[in-house]
Amino acid sequence: MKVSTFGSDSSEKSDFDNAICLTGYGRFHYQIIAVCALSILVVGFQNGILSYIFPAAQCELHLTSFQQGLLNVAFLAGGTISCFVWGILADMVGRRSVLIATHLLNASVTILMSTNPYTGSLVACRFLNGFFIGGPGSIIYSYFAEFQPPKYRTSSVCYCGLFFTVAWLLLPLLAHLVLPLTIEVTVGSLFVLTPWRLFLILVALPEILVGLWLIRMPESPKFYVAKGCPRKALVVLRRMYATNSGRSPEYFPVKNLITERNNEIGSGDKMMCQGRVARVLKEMGQQAKSLFVPPLLGITVLTSSIMFANMFGMFGLGLWLPELFIRFEQFQTLHPNASISVRELSSLPPPSKNLSCSPSLDASVIRSTVAMGVTSLLFNGLASYVSTKTTARVITMVTMLLGGVSAGLIYWMRSSMQNLVLACVFQATMIASNMSTAGIAVDLFPTKVNGIAVCMVVCAGRIGAVVSNFVFGFLMDKNCELPIFIVTAVVILGGCLCFVVPIPKNREVIDMASSFGKNDMEISVVSGKFR
């Protein structure tokens, strides 16, 4: 191991974790919280908009049930395919650049979708929505956490995740205000602006704001350290200090930043002699490969399995619960004093659809959606507070086990109120465990591959969502107990896996131990001068 010092002053040196603590906690962090919260909010919007535009667009576009399902699958497929792309790019060119590009591109696709009169092109747009939103859907957690001092990293990710739940509260309220409107504005000879198209445009506006806002924010200083650019990291840290304290950046006490980096001079020179595309592909291959060899292989498999179990339940049973609630409501309207089991209810014909082109949202659907959203918000707030007292793996374990038990109990419920209570518990625990699993990934993976690692974990979860939808599609109407108990078993198994999640080590130790097979490390003390 070699020690090298760059610059004249090496007296006031610090490692990254200590340096970011010295920036304080104030106005800069509130800005990061605001922009990342808005980013997570629009990710939640994209995941939920189809539930509200389906009834409105069904008559105008003559959508069949198969086409509606195809739109859902296209979105999930786009998000699954994009995980590796955005994760690798985030670790190569930076989190901020990827977030800006994906948000602005996704907003453009959403606006294009609002002008589209053809079902086939809507499917293509939803695929692109999933592809682009897959970037901020996972990278935003790495970007946000890397500005936080070690003490607050896990809890801050959980708190930021609350805004995914807030999206589920705002969407039905926005839909309730916009979709019942009776407007038809002909835009040239292209399309007629109807309420559901206006709804899509309104959803795209905050995403444009996020993209423009991120342009004014800095890159993650932790990313700069991982890429061997401590001078740039110091510039960001000084900006954080100045914004938080109101003092000049020159008063920041850290003048020299200690970093660990690979001593791969020969390899680097060789890569510089290659073409840009070859260098990019080689680095992409190295980053992806590092997740599937020790010491990261076990962590990759473990965290991916937990996220698979979580989203298998959340996007399988979770998406079916509102439909079940409507069936209970319709049955009890026709038979006020009768009760019915889930097995008997699932054999009844699907709820009648409103074929009117002037859609209205059923009040019971709004009440149930808002109730689940409020419960999830309160529960996630509690989980975020508890995360400051315990570890992310404990939160994930407890919430997954609670979610699995509530999923199993759904089979025995006999009223819409019982369904609503269990739906609230299941949804709240699944969202809380989803966010805490992301926190586990941020803690356990080294910074230089954190972006692709978190995307890998989210990708595994999306695969679980697709598999779960197929399971429910094939089994729900004929053997409803099978998918319910499958979800129960998978979610509980995911909770049990949390018992073997390792306790996070010091970040610098992780970064050193996970170098791409290189033992020759260099500790550099770099003096950065503010510019």
Side-chain angles (χ1 to χ4, degrees):
M1 183 173 289
K2 301 186 297 182
V3 179
S4 57
T5 305
F6 300 88
S8 58
D9 183 7
S10 60
S11 59
E12 296 170 312
K13 57 183 181 291
S14 171
D15 62 19
F16 176 81
D17 280 348
N18 183 59
I20 202 165
C21 289
L22 293 174
T23 63
Y25 208 94
R27 192 155 59 94
F28 181 88
H29 288 88
Y30 302 147
Q31 293 175 15
I32 286 291
I33 290 172
V35 68
C36 291
L38 190 56
S39 174
I40 294 172
L41 190 72
V42 299
V43 170
F45 284 166
Q46 285 295 332
N47 278 270
I49 55 175
L50 286 186
S51 299
Y52 301 98
I53 67 172
F54 271 160
Q58 184 178 14
C59 179
E60 179 182 336
L61 299 178
H62 308 290
L63 295 176
T64 65
S65 296
F66 173 77
Q67 290 171 329
Q68 293 178 24
L70 192 59
L71 286 168
N72 273 327
V73 171
F75 180 79
L76 289 171
T80 303
I81 293 172
S82 72
C83 282
F84 289 107
V85 176
W86 302 127
I88 291 172
L89 287 177
D91 289 329
M92 289 176 57
V93 304
R95 287 82 162 102
R96 173 177 163 273
S97 300
V98 171
L99 288 170
I100 292 171
T102 51
H103 271 308
L104 293 179
L105 286 170
N106 190 66
S108 301
V109 171
T110 303
I111 293 174
L112 177 63
M113 184 178 173
S114 71
T115 66
N116 216 306
Y118 304 110
T119 304
S121 52
L122 285 179
V123 172
C125 285
R126 282 308 286 168
F127 175 84
L128 291 174
N129 277 144
F131 186 85
F132 290 130
I133 208 65
S138 48
I139 295 169
I140 192 65
Y141 298 106
S142 295
Y143 179 74
F144 179 71
E146 289 170 5
F147 282 100
Q148 310 303 316
K151 181 180 178 181
Y152 299 114
R153 277 181 195 146
T154 298
S155 60
S156 61
V157 171
C158 292
Y159 276 120
C160 230
L162 292 175
F163 289 89
F164 190 85
T165 306
V166 172
W168 291 7
L169 284 174
L170 295 180
L171 266 181
L173 297 177
L174 180 62
H176 183 61
L177 293 174
V178 175
L179 294 182
L181 297 176
T182 55
I183 59 170
E184 288 190 9
V185 179
T186 302
V187 181
S189 59
L190 299 176
F191 70 101
V192 177
L193 182 64
T194 50
W196 71 269
R197 297 182 185 276
L198 176 62
F199 180 73
L200 285 175
I201 294 173
L202 293 176
V203 167
L205 294 180
E207 188 154 24
I208 295 174
L209 175 60
V210 172
L212 297 178
W213 194 345
L214 282 167
I215 294 175
R216 298 178 57 85
M217 303 304 294
E219 180 55 85
S220 156
K222 205 169 184 64
F223 168 77
Y224 282 139
V225 170
K227 297 297 286 185
C229 303
R231 287 189 178 89
K232 292 183 178 179
L234 272 173
V235 171
V236 177
L237 291 171
R238 286 167 173 160
R239 173 178 170 180
M240 294 171 63
Y241 170 80
T243 306
N244 287 335
S245 66
R247 304 181 68 187
S248 170
E250 296 179 355
Y251 287 103
F252 184 55
V254 177
K255 309 301 180 184
N256 308 282
L257 197 60
I258 302 173
T259 66
E260 293 83 10
R261 61 178 181 173
N262 269 337
N263 188 16
E264 298 182 70
I265 304 300
S267 173
D269 290 343
K270 182 178 179 181
M271 287 183 67
M272 288 304 293
C273 294
Q274 298 172 351
R276 179 177 177 83
V277 174
R279 294 201 309 271
V280 169
L281 292 176
K282 184 171 183 178
E283 189 168 351
M284 289 171 66
Q286 287 179 324
Q287 288 179 322
K289 181 181 177 181
S290 68
L291 298 179
F292 297 98
V293 296
L296 298 182
L297 175 61
I299 297 174
T300 300
V301 173
L302 184 59
T303 52
S304 297
S305 299
I306 294 172
M307 187 65 87
F308 178 95
N310 172 270
M311 296 182 73
F312 185 93
M314 187 165 68
F315 286 93
L317 181 59
L319 292 180
W320 183 77
L321 284 173
E323 177 80 359
L324 183 61
F325 183 82
I326 294 174
R327 293 192 186 191
F328 265 120
E329 287 286 345
Q330 290 194 344
F331 177 83
Q332 291 185 333
T333 299
L334 296 175
H335 311 281
N337 298 318
S339 63
I340 188 172
S341 68
V342 172
R343 183 182 182 89
E344 295 167 338
L345 192 68
S346 64
S347 63
L348 298 177
S352 59
K353 304 294 183 181
N354 180 14
L355 298 179
S356 170
C357 289
S358 300
S360 60
L361 296 180
D362 190 273
S364 64
V365 176
I366 295 177
R367 286 196 302 269
S368 63
T369 304
V370 171
M372 287 190 290
V374 170
T375 304
S376 297
L377 188 62
L378 294 175
F379 191 88
N380 276 263
L382 176 63
S384 300
Y385 172 76
V386 173
S387 67
T388 62
K389 312 295 182 182
T390 185
T391 61
R393 69 170 183 168
V394 172
I395 295 174
T396 306
M397 178 183 65
V398 172
T399 52
M400 291 279 280
L401 293 177
L402 282 175
V405 171
S406 64
L409 291 175
I410 286 173
Y411 179 72
W412 285 280
M413 65 182 176
R414 302 185 65 86
S415 71
S416 59
M417 181 55 66
Q418 293 174 2
N419 174 61
L420 178 58
V421 171
L422 288 175
C424 288
V425 174
F426 180 79
Q427 199 84 315
T429 53
M430 288 295 96
I431 293 176
S433 59
N434 185 274
M435 299 305 165
S436 57
T437 303
I440 290 175
V442 169
D443 276 343
L444 291 181
F445 287 100
T447 306
K448 64 188 173 187
V449 294
N450 201 277
I452 185 177
V454 174
C455 286
M456 164 70 76
V457 171
V458 174
C459 178
R462 287 171 181 157
I463 293 173
V466 172
V467 172
S468 184
N469 273 278
F470 278 115
V471 169
F472 271 84
F474 280 114
L475 299 177
M476 198 64 217
D477 287 337
K478 295 181 180 179
N479 303 98
C480 71
E481 66 276 8
L482 287 180
I484 290 176
F485 292 141
I486 288 173
V487 165
T488 300
V490 170
V491 173
I492 289 178
L493 178 60
C496 292
L497 288 176
C498 296
F499 282 104
V500 294
V501 171
I503 298 174
K505 300 178 181 178
N506 179 272
R507 171 60 58 188
E508 281 69 30
V509 174
I510 294 175
D511 287 348
M512 291 177 67
S514 62
S515 296
F516 297 119
K518 302 293 182 181
N519 294 321
D520 186 11
M521 305 294 295
E522 175 184 11
I523 297 183
S524 304
V525 182
V526 182
S527 175
K529 297 182 179 179
F530 181 74
R531 298 178 181 178

